[in-house]
Amino acid sequence: MSTASLTTGLAAVLHGVGDIRLENRTFSPPQSKQAQVAVVATGLCGSDLHYYTHGRNGDFVVQAPLVLGHEAAGVVTAVGPGVTNLVPGQRVAIEAGIMCGTCNYCKSGRYNLCKDLRFASSAKTFPHLDGTLQARMNHPAHVLYPLPANVSFELAALAEPLSVLVHAARRADFKKGQSALVLGTGAIGLLAGAIAHARGASLVCAVDINSARLSFAKESGFADKVFTLSSQKDDNSLARAKANAQAALAAFGDAAHDGFDVVFECTGVESCIQMAVHAAKMGGVVMLVGMGSRDVMLPLSIAATREVDLRGSFRYANTYPEALELLGSNTPAMSNVSKLITHRFPLAQTPQAFELLSRGVDSEGKMVLKVVVLGDASK
């Protein structure tokens, strides 16, 4: 269909827990320094799922109907006054955050920490800023990035989660020849493995309780070695975390005997964060990527005496150019990233897409990693 004449279209709107409604909306022209984008592909994220299943993501509670989705790419259909970097028909990736541009964080290049940043599909600020699960959206032109010719819309939608790991690798100061351990092999964990390989890691290992995901990680080249963690509970969680780390290091062999240079903690689960401290080598780095437990008991004395750095990582800043370059590089580290997309739905079936994501496996028993919702502009 032609996107140029479209003035109305579908939007998938979250009204409450498990309540996504398809609504017909009228789209206004882009304002100054904005471009209008026909959204072609949106990847569903763990935060989207939290809003769908709980009505909140951590401390961010949905207070009004909200369009979810922020991992997206599409086609520019119109540009507002003052836009000189884009033209209609251009294929772009959408960076979902809108920063103030004037605070010290923005001026220093750390706009992900901007206190006034508004993020499409997030309930952190109110009124909420609608996300990408709609036929069109108006968005600041300076956070729309032209796609390399060999990067599809679906692959470009992965630039957002890949940006999370580009930022985390920068925060960890990850260098060629270092070893990496990834805790959790969801989409973010798998991309952590990809980034570590792209940075020239000497060894990338992964740990999860899900053996099917670990098998996928190893078979697809996201991890060199894997270890299946027992899901059993223990009254002494700190002791269990230490034992789990020791078991994993022993299984990975001599190359990991002294621990890892960088541990990418991608679960947000307390026991895994504890384990990460023990799995890092002396002087190593624990990169806190996953968001989960709000309050965590940590073996801080172990971190202190072994000089293990715990570093936070929140979203990303100035990462999209690198993420898109990596996606278009077709290097061995990036060659299987498209395999993360396991299921696709049209925009009109967004409720079914979320239901599948919440189950984690489809009707044939196939695991669900990344679900992509395709807009009408994809036809």
Side-chain angles (χ1 to χ4, degrees):
M1 65 177 291
S2 170
T3 60
S5 60
L6 185 67
T7 57
T8 63
L10 282 181
V13 186
L14 180 72
H15 283 262
V17 174
D19 181 12
I20 289 182
R21 305 176 195 176
L22 298 173
E23 301 175 0
N24 204 46
R25 291 192 169 183
T26 299
F27 304 110
S28 59
Q31 298 177 1
S32 176
K33 298 184 179 180
Q34 287 186 335
Q36 187 174 89
V37 180
V39 182
V40 177
T42 294
L44 301 187
C45 172
S47 63
D48 295 320
L49 183 60
H50 278 295
Y51 285 126
Y52 175 74
T53 56
H54 305 295
R56 64 188 300 153
N57 181 34
D59 292 332
F60 310 151
V61 181
V62 176
Q63 302 175 57
L66 174 65
V67 175
L68 297 175
H70 55 269
E71 302 178 358
V75 180
V76 174
T77 57
V79 297
V83 175
T84 59
N85 62 317
L86 299 170
V87 295
Q90 202 159 7
R91 302 162 64 248
V92 293
I94 304 168
E95 182 175 350
I98 303 175
M99 63 295 293
C100 78
T102 59
C103 70
N104 288 334
Y105 291 113
C106 287
K107 290 179 179 179
S108 66
R110 303 184 73 181
Y111 61 77
N112 58 311
L113 302 180
C114 171
K115 294 180 180 179
D116 294 321
L117 184 142
R118 302 183 70 213
F119 197 84
S121 80
S122 172
K124 181 179 180 180
T125 56
F126 187 84
H128 306 321
L129 181 64
D130 282 337
T132 60
L133 287 171
Q134 53 184 323
R136 288 193 180 190
M137 67 184 297
N138 294 327
H139 202 63
H142 73 278
V143 282
L144 299 174
Y145 299 87
L147 304 187
N150 62 337
V151 173
S152 68
F153 290 112
E154 290 187 8
L155 201 57
L158 294 177
E160 200 278 344
L162 184 58
S163 281
V164 171
L165 278 312
V166 170
H167 182 69
R170 290 176 182 176
R171 291 274 297 142
D173 194 23
F174 194 89
K175 295 181 175 64
K176 181 178 180 180
Q178 289 188 318
S179 59
L181 174 64
V182 178
L183 300 182
T185 50
I188 290 293
L190 293 169
L191 289 172
I195 281 291
H197 277 128
R199 292 281 195 276
S202 59
L203 176 68
V204 178
C205 297
V207 171
D208 203 312
I209 61 173
N210 189 317
S211 58
R213 290 194 175 192
L214 287 172
S215 295
F216 175 83
K218 187 173 182 180
E219 292 166 3
S220 301
F222 294 105
D224 302 313
K225 297 182 179 182
V226 298
F227 179 76
T228 304
L229 196 64
S230 170
S231 58
Q232 66 182 352
K233 301 288 185 179
D234 196 306
D235 290 338
N236 190 337
S237 62
L238 290 174
R240 169 57 59 184
K242 182 178 181 179
N244 285 339
Q246 291 173 337
L249 294 179
F252 292 142
D254 291 342
H257 180 266
D258 293 326
F260 290 83
D261 292 297
V262 177
V263 181
F264 292 96
E265 203 301 301
C266 300
T267 71
V269 176
E270 181 179 53
S271 59
C272 289
I273 299 171
Q274 295 166 344
M275 178 181 172
V277 175
H278 292 286
K281 67 185 296 185
M282 293 182 68
V285 174
V286 172
M287 202 66 244
L288 301 173
V289 182
M291 296 184 68
S293 305
R294 293 181 60 189
D295 300 305
V296 175
M297 180 167 57
L298 285 173
L300 282 180
S301 61
I302 300 298
T305 57
R306 299 178 69 242
E307 292 195 357
V308 172
D309 292 345
L310 277 69
R311 300 182 188 175
S313 181
F314 182 63
R315 291 181 182 148
Y316 41 80
N318 304 302
T319 54
Y320 261 69
E322 181 177 345
L324 289 170
E325 182 181 359
L326 284 168
L327 290 169
S329 66
N330 200 33
T331 58
M334 292 288 132
S335 60
N336 287 324
V337 167
S338 61
K339 290 185 178 181
L340 295 182
I341 301 172
T342 55
H343 297 80
R344 298 164 178 84
F345 289 82
L347 181 60
Q349 293 181 13
T350 299
Q352 293 92 320
F354 273 95
E355 276 301 301
L356 175 65
L357 187 62
S358 67
R359 292 197 303 271
V361 294
D362 62 19
S363 58
E364 299 177 355
K366 181 181 177 181
M367 68 178 175
V368 178
L369 283 173
K370 179 63 65 178
V371 177
V372 169
V373 174
L374 300 171
D376 289 340
S378 64
K379 297 178 181 177

